[in-house]
Amino acid sequence: MSMIENVKAKARADVKTIVFPEGSEARTVCAAAILKNEKLAVPILIGDPAEIQAAAAAQNADISGIRQVDPKTDGKTAAYAEELYELRRAKGLTKEGADELVLDPMYFGIMMVKMGDADGLVSGAVHSTGDMLRPALQIIKTKPEMKLVSSSFLMDCPDKSLGEDGLLVYADCVVVPCPSAEELARIAIAAADTAKRLCGFPEPRVAMLSFSTMGSAKHALVDKVRDAVKIAHELAPDLLLDGEMQFDAALVPEIAAGKAKGSPVAGRANVLIFPDLQAGNIGYKITQRIGGADCFAVLQGLNKPCNDLSRGCSVEDIVNTAAMTAVQAQGM
Ligand code: ACO
């Protein structure tokens, strides 16, 4: 069974409620209909009911029985606004500001998750990554033990000799532009957790990537990765994690044998940590476009699961992301 089929089977076993702030968006209504029919999640669509109905009719999507929520008229809007004000008043949000902000479907959806009226949220078919991330960071916040939100890309590669039967976890490719050594260590630990809980890796083996392998090059950028390795070992002593190492030393046993002899990770890594967002974002796109990998993205470290879509996403991408969000919610 492929990774995503496995995730869908898990989602069906304990169905969760997933809210979609972009409820009248064409691909989103189609995805909601599929999620309901395939019993992958209970979808909630946020938006003007007339616009949601019009989108569904235009797409020939059967959304009968799917809950629609309009922040302008919903019975919980006032309570959400009050809570939003309490959460953000120290940051300068006024009561009037909260009353207005809660009408934004993105903030309304995040408040539904915060208040336990939905188990998770999926957005980003229209919103930019930053506009989706900011309310989640401000309101849902991190799990106490994580301290940092980042992302993992699950790369399902055609070459099944790589990683875990062709599956590799890449981090961070979306959130933290320029991580410090400690942040890099925390990204690595979070990605190993995602590999274990969401992908079912029995043994995450984490490679901290660089342009140097075990001291082959000297540079401040390499030092940062080496420091991250030390910090990660202190924070998670039982985790199989090593570095710094180059991409090929992480994945190819023959190269690892020459450059990183004795490493418990080199040549057999299944979780790859990129030194910054430019490397991670470029790396996943090369793997996808030139390597032919299917890729699936999740945010990690949030106190409740919220996930971002690419604006070019397909209906299938939305369904897959909702299924992953539902599985993340099961562990919370
Ligand atoms: N983890 C936890 N909390 C965070 C993080 C983080 N990584 N980043 C910011 N925060 C918190 C801040 O502490 C702050 O909290 P507070 O308001 O309660 O004090 C809140 O989030 C907002 O922080 P800001 O610094 O004001 O937010 P900023 O405007 O910098 O936005 C963001 C943060 C959106 C994550 C930014 O770093 C960003 O734009 N990252 C890159 C996103 C992107 O474009 N990715 C690439 C494209 S996606 C793709 O290709 C699939």
Side-chain angles (χ1 to χ4, degrees), residues 211-241:
F211 58 82
S212 163
T213 300
M214 307 300 180
S216 64
K218 309 271 178 241
H219 194 280
L221 291 173
V222 178
D223 292 342
K224 183 173 89 170
V225 180
R226 293 175 79 89
D227 290 346
V229 171
K230 273 191 216 129
I231 297 167
H233 283 155
E234 283 161 23
L235 292 174
D238 296 334
L239 180 61
L240 267 186
L241 175 147

PDB file of all heavy atoms in Angstrom, residues 211-241:
ATOM      1  N   PHE A 211      27.025  21.199   2.586  1.00  0.00           N
ATOM      2  CA  PHE A 211      27.900  20.972   1.431  1.00  0.00           C
ATOM      3  C   PHE A 211      29.202  20.303   1.861  1.00  0.00           C
ATOM      4  O   PHE A 211      30.143  20.165   1.069  1.00  0.00           O
ATOM      5  CB  PHE A 211      28.173  22.273   0.659  1.00  0.00           C
ATOM      6  CG  PHE A 211      28.796  23.374   1.484  1.00  0.00           C
ATOM      7  CD1 PHE A 211      30.162  23.398   1.725  1.00  0.00           C
ATOM      8  CD2 PHE A 211      28.015  24.390   2.029  1.00  0.00           C
ATOM      9  CE1 PHE A 211      30.736  24.404   2.484  1.00  0.00           C
ATOM     10  CE2 PHE A 211      28.581  25.396   2.783  1.00  0.00           C
ATOM     11  CZ  PHE A 211      29.942  25.405   3.014  1.00  0.00           C
ATOM     12  N   SER A 212      29.264  19.883   3.111  1.00  0.00           N
ATOM     13  CA  SER A 212      30.454  19.247   3.684  1.00  0.00           C
ATOM     14  C   SER A 212      30.040  17.924   4.323  1.00  0.00           C
ATOM     15  O   SER A 212      28.913  17.794   4.814  1.00  0.00           O
ATOM     16  CB  SER A 212      31.023  20.192   4.750  1.00  0.00           C
ATOM     17  OG  SER A 212      31.918  19.527   5.599  1.00  0.00           O
ATOM     18  N   THR A 213      30.926  16.929   4.290  1.00  0.00           N
ATOM     19  CA  THR A 213      30.648  15.670   4.991  1.00  0.00           C
ATOM     20  C   THR A 213      31.698  15.459   6.076  1.00  0.00           C
ATOM     21  O   THR A 213      32.886  15.331   5.762  1.00  0.00           O
ATOM     22  CB  THR A 213      30.646  14.470   4.016  1.00  0.00           C
ATOM     23  OG1 THR A 213      29.634  14.688   3.026  1.00  0.00           O
ATOM     24  CG2 THR A 213      30.343  13.165   4.748  1.00  0.00           C
ATOM     25  N   MET A 214      31.250  15.436   7.302  1.00  0.00           N
ATOM     26  CA  MET A 214      32.098  15.139   8.469  1.00  0.00           C
ATOM     27  C   MET A 214      33.402  15.932   8.458  1.00  0.00           C
ATOM     28  O   MET A 214      34.495  15.360   8.564  1.00  0.00           O
ATOM     29  CB  MET A 214      32.388  13.628   8.551  1.00  0.00           C
ATOM     30  CG  MET A 214      31.155  12.748   8.518  1.00  0.00           C
ATOM     31  SD  MET A 214      30.051  13.118   9.917  1.00  0.00           S
ATOM     32  CE  MET A 214      28.720  11.980   9.639  1.00  0.00           C
ATOM     33  N   GLY A 215      33.261  17.244   8.261  1.00  0.00           N
ATOM     34  CA  GLY A 215      34.439  18.112   8.367  1.00  0.00           C
ATOM     35  C   GLY A 215      35.241  18.266   7.081  1.00  0.00           C
ATOM     36  O   GLY A 215      36.335  18.837   7.114  1.00  0.00           O
ATOM     37  N   SER A 216      34.711  17.802   5.939  1.00  0.00           N
ATOM     38  CA  SER A 216      35.490  17.907   4.692  1.00  0.00           C
ATOM     39  C   SER A 216      35.664  19.360   4.256  1.00  0.00           C
ATOM     40  O   SER A 216      36.601  19.684   3.544  1.00  0.00           O
ATOM     41  CB  SER A 216      34.840  17.089   3.576  1.00  0.00           C
ATOM     42  OG  SER A 216      33.561  17.607   3.244  1.00  0.00           O
ATOM     43  N   ALA A 217      34.756  20.250   4.663  1.00  0.00           N
ATOM     44  CA  ALA A 217      34.909  21.676   4.347  1.00  0.00           C
ATOM     45  C   ALA A 217      34.799  22.486   5.639  1.00  0.00           C
ATOM     46  O   ALA A 217      34.112  22.071   6.578  1.00  0.00           O
ATOM     47  CB  ALA A 217      33.826  22.125   3.366  1.00  0.00           C
ATOM     48  N   LYS A 218      35.469  23.631   5.652  1.00  0.00           N
ATOM     49  CA  LYS A 218      35.412  24.515   6.835  1.00  0.00           C
ATOM     50  C   LYS A 218      34.686  25.795   6.432  1.00  0.00           C
ATOM     51  O   LYS A 218      35.111  26.469   5.481  1.00  0.00           O
ATOM     52  CB  LYS A 218      36.830  24.894   7.312  1.00  0.00           C
ATOM     53  CG  LYS A 218      37.748  23.703   7.495  1.00  0.00           C
ATOM     54  CD  LYS A 218      37.641  23.136   8.916  1.00  0.00           C
ATOM     55  CE  LYS A 218      38.528  21.908   9.066  1.00  0.00           C
ATOM     56  NZ  LYS A 218      37.807  20.682   9.408  1.00  0.00           N
ATOM     57  N   HIS A 219      33.633  26.113   7.134  1.00  0.00           N
ATOM     58  CA  HIS A 219      32.894  27.351   6.858  1.00  0.00           C
ATOM     59  C   HIS A 219      31.897  27.577   7.990  1.00  0.00           C
ATOM     60  O   HIS A 219      31.438  26.599   8.612  1.00  0.00           O
ATOM     61  CB  HIS A 219      32.149  27.240   5.513  1.00  0.00           C
ATOM     62  CG  HIS A 219      31.637  28.556   5.001  1.00  0.00           C
ATOM     63  ND1 HIS A 219      30.484  29.143   5.460  1.00  0.00           N
ATOM     64  CD2 HIS A 219      32.153  29.411   4.083  1.00  0.00           C
ATOM     65  CE1 HIS A 219      30.305  30.288   4.839  1.00  0.00           C
ATOM     66  NE2 HIS A 219      31.304  30.489   3.985  1.00  0.00           N
ATOM     67  N   ALA A 220      31.550  28.840   8.212  1.00  0.00           N
ATOM     68  CA  ALA A 220      30.581  29.141   9.280  1.00  0.00           C
ATOM     69  C   ALA A 220      29.240  28.432   9.035  1.00  0.00           C
ATOM     70  O   ALA A 220      28.570  28.016   9.996  1.00  0.00           O
ATOM     71  CB  ALA A 220      30.371  30.654   9.359  1.00  0.00           C
ATOM     72  N   LEU A 221      28.855  28.282   7.767  1.00  0.00           N
ATOM     73  CA  LEU A 221      27.577  27.613   7.478  1.00  0.00           C
ATOM     74  C   LEU A 221      27.627  26.139   7.882  1.00  0.00           C
ATOM     75  O   LEU A 221      26.633  25.567   8.336  1.00  0.00           O
ATOM     76  CB  LEU A 221      27.245  27.727   5.978  1.00  0.00           C
ATOM     77  CG  LEU A 221      26.901  29.128   5.478  1.00  0.00           C
ATOM     78  CD1 LEU A 221      26.763  29.130   3.959  1.00  0.00           C
ATOM     79  CD2 LEU A 221      25.615  29.638   6.129  1.00  0.00           C
ATOM     80  N   VAL A 222      28.802  25.533   7.697  1.00  0.00           N
ATOM     81  CA  VAL A 222      28.985  24.129   8.104  1.00  0.00           C
ATOM     82  C   VAL A 222      28.963  24.031   9.635  1.00  0.00           C
ATOM     83  O   VAL A 222      28.345  23.124  10.211  1.00  0.00           O
ATOM     84  CB  VAL A 222      30.317  23.570   7.545  1.00  0.00           C
ATOM     85  CG1 VAL A 222      30.536  22.130   8.017  1.00  0.00           C
ATOM     86  CG2 VAL A 222      30.337  23.662   6.024  1.00  0.00           C
ATOM     87  N   ASP A 223      29.610  25.006  10.284  1.00  0.00           N
ATOM     88  CA  ASP A 223      29.632  25.011  11.758  1.00  0.00           C
ATOM     89  C   ASP A 223      28.214  25.030  12.318  1.00  0.00           C
ATOM     90  O   ASP A 223      27.929  24.395  13.335  1.00  0.00           O
ATOM     91  CB  ASP A 223      30.391  26.240  12.288  1.00  0.00           C
ATOM     92  CG  ASP A 223      31.879  26.162  11.965  1.00  0.00           C
ATOM     93  OD1 ASP A 223      32.358  25.051  11.668  1.00  0.00           O
ATOM     94  OD2 ASP A 223      32.544  27.223  11.988  1.00  0.00           O
ATOM     95  N   LYS A 224      27.322  25.789  11.656  1.00  0.00           N
ATOM     96  CA  LYS A 224      25.942  25.861  12.156  1.00  0.00           C
ATOM     97  C   LYS A 224      25.297  24.466  12.137  1.00  0.00           C
ATOM     98  O   LYS A 224      24.629  24.072  13.094  1.00  0.00           O
ATOM     99  CB  LYS A 224      25.109  26.844  11.316  1.00  0.00           C
ATOM    100  CG  LYS A 224      23.692  27.002  11.853  1.00  0.00           C
ATOM    101  CD  LYS A 224      22.889  28.072  11.155  1.00  0.00           C
ATOM    102  CE  LYS A 224      22.156  27.522   9.975  1.00  0.00           C
ATOM    103  NZ  LYS A 224      21.186  28.471   9.405  1.00  0.00           N
ATOM    104  N   VAL A 225      25.512  23.722  11.074  1.00  0.00           N
ATOM    105  CA  VAL A 225      24.914  22.380  10.987  1.00  0.00           C
ATOM    106  C   VAL A 225      25.548  21.462  12.041  1.00  0.00           C
ATOM    107  O   VAL A 225      24.854  20.680  12.705  1.00  0.00           O
ATOM    108  CB  VAL A 225      25.072  21.800   9.560  1.00  0.00           C
ATOM    109  CG1 VAL A 225      24.454  20.409   9.477  1.00  0.00           C
ATOM    110  CG2 VAL A 225      24.406  22.722   8.538  1.00  0.00           C
ATOM    111  N   ARG A 226      26.858  21.585  12.226  1.00  0.00           N
ATOM    112  CA  ARG A 226      27.533  20.750  13.250  1.00  0.00           C
ATOM    113  C   ARG A 226      26.981  21.077  14.643  1.00  0.00           C
ATOM    114  O   ARG A 226      26.758  20.181  15.467  1.00  0.00           O
ATOM    115  CB  ARG A 226      29.047  21.001  13.219  1.00  0.00           C
ATOM    116  CG  ARG A 226      29.709  20.512  11.944  1.00  0.00           C
ATOM    117  CD  ARG A 226      31.182  20.899  11.903  1.00  0.00           C
ATOM    118  NE  ARG A 226      32.003  19.999  12.714  1.00  0.00           N
ATOM    119  CZ  ARG A 226      32.547  18.879  12.271  1.00  0.00           C
ATOM    120  NH1 ARG A 226      32.376  18.504  11.019  1.00  0.00           N
ATOM    121  NH2 ARG A 226      33.273  18.127  13.063  1.00  0.00           N
ATOM    122  N   ASP A 227      26.768  22.368  14.908  1.00  0.00           N
ATOM    123  CA  ASP A 227      26.186  22.765  16.203  1.00  0.00           C
ATOM    124  C   ASP A 227      24.780  22.180  16.360  1.00  0.00           C
ATOM    125  O   ASP A 227      24.397  21.735  17.441  1.00  0.00           O
ATOM    126  CB  ASP A 227      26.102  24.298  16.314  1.00  0.00           C
ATOM    127  CG  ASP A 227      27.483  24.936  16.455  1.00  0.00           C
ATOM    128  OD1 ASP A 227      28.450  24.192  16.733  1.00  0.00           O
ATOM    129  OD2 ASP A 227      27.594  26.168  16.268  1.00  0.00           O
ATOM    130  N   ALA A 228      24.021  22.201  15.252  1.00  0.00           N
ATOM    131  CA  ALA A 228      22.654  21.649  15.307  1.00  0.00           C
ATOM    132  C   ALA A 228      22.689  20.166  15.650  1.00  0.00           C
ATOM    133  O   ALA A 228      21.843  19.669  16.407  1.00  0.00           O
ATOM    134  CB  ALA A 228      21.944  21.875  13.972  1.00  0.00           C
ATOM    135  N   VAL A 229      23.672  19.438  15.114  1.00  0.00           N
ATOM    136  CA  VAL A 229      23.797  18.004  15.423  1.00  0.00           C
ATOM    137  C   VAL A 229      24.014  17.822  16.928  1.00  0.00           C
ATOM    138  O   VAL A 229      23.345  16.997  17.571  1.00  0.00           O
ATOM    139  CB  VAL A 229      24.962  17.373  14.615  1.00  0.00           C
ATOM    140  CG1 VAL A 229      25.251  15.944  15.085  1.00  0.00           C
ATOM    141  CG2 VAL A 229      24.637  17.399  13.125  1.00  0.00           C
ATOM    142  N   LYS A 230      24.912  18.634  17.490  1.00  0.00           N
ATOM    143  CA  LYS A 230      25.193  18.521  18.940  1.00  0.00           C
ATOM    144  C   LYS A 230      23.927  18.799  19.754  1.00  0.00           C
ATOM    145  O   LYS A 230      23.603  18.075  20.693  1.00  0.00           O
ATOM    146  CB  LYS A 230      26.254  19.559  19.339  1.00  0.00           C
ATOM    147  CG  LYS A 230      27.667  19.053  19.157  1.00  0.00           C
ATOM    148  CD  LYS A 230      28.656  20.025  19.838  1.00  0.00           C
ATOM    149  CE  LYS A 230      29.916  20.096  19.000  1.00  0.00           C
ATOM    150  NZ  LYS A 230      30.392  21.401  18.653  1.00  0.00           N
ATOM    151  N   ILE A 231      23.228  19.863  19.387  1.00  0.00           N
ATOM    152  CA  ILE A 231      22.015  20.235  20.147  1.00  0.00           C
ATOM    153  C   ILE A 231      20.956  19.143  20.022  1.00  0.00           C
ATOM    154  O   ILE A 231      20.316  18.771  21.012  1.00  0.00           O
ATOM    155  CB  ILE A 231      21.472  21.606  19.663  1.00  0.00           C
ATOM    156  CG1 ILE A 231      22.504  22.706  19.932  1.00  0.00           C
ATOM    157  CG2 ILE A 231      20.143  21.937  20.325  1.00  0.00           C
ATOM    158  CD1 ILE A 231      22.219  24.020  19.226  1.00  0.00           C
ATOM    159  N   ALA A 232      20.794  18.618  18.812  1.00  0.00           N
ATOM    160  CA  ALA A 232      19.785  17.558  18.616  1.00  0.00           C
ATOM    161  C   ALA A 232      20.131  16.332  19.458  1.00  0.00           C
ATOM    162  O   ALA A 232      19.242  15.700  20.044  1.00  0.00           O
ATOM    163  CB  ALA A 232      19.689  17.192  17.137  1.00  0.00           C
ATOM    164  N   HIS A 233      21.409  15.994  19.536  1.00  0.00           N
ATOM    165  CA  HIS A 233      21.808  14.837  20.363  1.00  0.00           C
ATOM    166  C   HIS A 233      21.472  15.076  21.831  1.00  0.00           C
ATOM    167  O   HIS A 233      21.047  14.156  22.537  1.00  0.00           O
ATOM    168  CB  HIS A 233      23.314  14.560  20.210  1.00  0.00           C
ATOM    169  CG  HIS A 233      23.642  13.872  18.919  1.00  0.00           C
ATOM    170  ND1 HIS A 233      24.868  13.948  18.310  1.00  0.00           N
ATOM    171  CD2 HIS A 233      22.890  13.107  18.099  1.00  0.00           C
ATOM    172  CE1 HIS A 233      24.861  13.246  17.189  1.00  0.00           C
ATOM    173  NE2 HIS A 233      23.671  12.730  17.043  1.00  0.00           N
ATOM    174  N   GLU A 234      21.637  16.344  22.271  1.00  0.00           N
ATOM    175  CA  GLU A 234      21.294  16.648  23.676  1.00  0.00           C
ATOM    176  C   GLU A 234      19.778  16.586  23.903  1.00  0.00           C
ATOM    177  O   GLU A 234      19.313  16.068  24.911  1.00  0.00           O
ATOM    178  CB  GLU A 234      21.787  18.061  24.040  1.00  0.00           C
ATOM    179  CG  GLU A 234      23.293  18.107  24.298  1.00  0.00           C
ATOM    180  CD  GLU A 234      23.859  19.533  24.186  1.00  0.00           C
ATOM    181  OE1 GLU A 234      23.077  20.507  24.345  1.00  0.00           O
ATOM    182  OE2 GLU A 234      25.056  19.650  23.919  1.00  0.00           O
ATOM    183  N   LEU A 235      19.021  17.133  22.928  1.00  0.00           N
ATOM    184  CA  LEU A 235      17.562  17.207  23.098  1.00  0.00           C
ATOM    185  C   LEU A 235      16.895  15.839  22.905  1.00  0.00           C
ATOM    186  O   LEU A 235      15.858  15.565  23.509  1.00  0.00           O
ATOM    187  CB  LEU A 235      16.964  18.204  22.097  1.00  0.00           C
ATOM    188  CG  LEU A 235      17.299  19.681  22.308  1.00  0.00           C
ATOM    189  CD1 LEU A 235      16.759  20.528  21.150  1.00  0.00           C
ATOM    190  CD2 LEU A 235      16.711  20.179  23.620  1.00  0.00           C
ATOM    191  N   ALA A 236      17.453  15.023  22.015  1.00  0.00           N
ATOM    192  CA  ALA A 236      16.825  13.724  21.705  1.00  0.00           C
ATOM    193  C   ALA A 236      17.911  12.657  21.612  1.00  0.00           C
ATOM    194  O   ALA A 236      18.257  12.198  20.515  1.00  0.00           O
ATOM    195  CB  ALA A 236      16.037  13.828  20.394  1.00  0.00           C
ATOM    196  N   PRO A 237      18.445  12.249  22.767  1.00  0.00           N
ATOM    197  CA  PRO A 237      19.597  11.339  22.745  1.00  0.00           C
ATOM    198  C   PRO A 237      19.321   9.985  22.083  1.00  0.00           C
ATOM    199  O   PRO A 237      20.244   9.343  21.595  1.00  0.00           O
ATOM    200  CB  PRO A 237      19.945  11.168  24.243  1.00  0.00           C
ATOM    201  CG  PRO A 237      18.868  11.825  25.015  1.00  0.00           C
ATOM    202  CD  PRO A 237      18.057  12.666  24.122  1.00  0.00           C
ATOM    203  N   ASP A 238      18.055   9.558  22.049  1.00  0.00           N
ATOM    204  CA  ASP A 238      17.762   8.235  21.468  1.00  0.00           C
ATOM    205  C   ASP A 238      17.561   8.271  19.960  1.00  0.00           C
ATOM    206  O   ASP A 238      17.423   7.220  19.323  1.00  0.00           O
ATOM    207  CB  ASP A 238      16.486   7.651  22.113  1.00  0.00           C
ATOM    208  CG  ASP A 238      16.714   7.394  23.599  1.00  0.00           C
ATOM    209  OD1 ASP A 238      17.886   7.193  23.984  1.00  0.00           O
ATOM    210  OD2 ASP A 238      15.737   7.438  24.366  1.00  0.00           O
ATOM    211  N   LEU A 239      17.494   9.475  19.379  1.00  0.00           N
ATOM    212  CA  LEU A 239      17.212   9.590  17.941  1.00  0.00           C
ATOM    213  C   LEU A 239      18.469   9.279  17.127  1.00  0.00           C
ATOM    214  O   LEU A 239      19.552   9.781  17.429  1.00  0.00           O
ATOM    215  CB  LEU A 239      16.719  11.021  17.655  1.00  0.00           C
ATOM    216  CG  LEU A 239      16.370  11.370  16.219  1.00  0.00           C
ATOM    217  CD1 LEU A 239      15.227  10.503  15.696  1.00  0.00           C
ATOM    218  CD2 LEU A 239      15.958  12.854  16.129  1.00  0.00           C
ATOM    219  N   LEU A 240      18.311   8.465  16.076  1.00  0.00           N
ATOM    220  CA  LEU A 240      19.437   8.195  15.162  1.00  0.00           C
ATOM    221  C   LEU A 240      19.599   9.408  14.255  1.00  0.00           C
ATOM    222  O   LEU A 240      18.812   9.597  13.316  1.00  0.00           O
ATOM    223  CB  LEU A 240      19.127   6.967  14.311  1.00  0.00           C
ATOM    224  CG  LEU A 240      19.601   5.609  14.794  1.00  0.00           C
ATOM    225  CD1 LEU A 240      19.327   4.548  13.737  1.00  0.00           C
ATOM    226  CD2 LEU A 240      21.091   5.635  15.128  1.00  0.00           C
ATOM    227  N   LEU A 241      20.586  10.231  14.525  1.00  0.00           N
ATOM    228  CA  LEU A 241      20.765  11.491  13.788  1.00  0.00           C
ATOM    229  C   LEU A 241      22.262  11.731  13.645  1.00  0.00           C
ATOM    230  O   LEU A 241      23.021  11.516  14.594  1.00  0.00           O
ATOM    231  CB  LEU A 241      20.081  12.604  14.585  1.00  0.00           C
ATOM    232  CG  LEU A 241      20.223  14.042  14.103  1.00  0.00           C
ATOM    233  CD1 LEU A 241      18.950  14.838  14.430  1.00  0.00           C
ATOM    234  CD2 LEU A 241      21.433  14.753  14.708  1.00  0.00           C
TER     235      LEU A 241
END
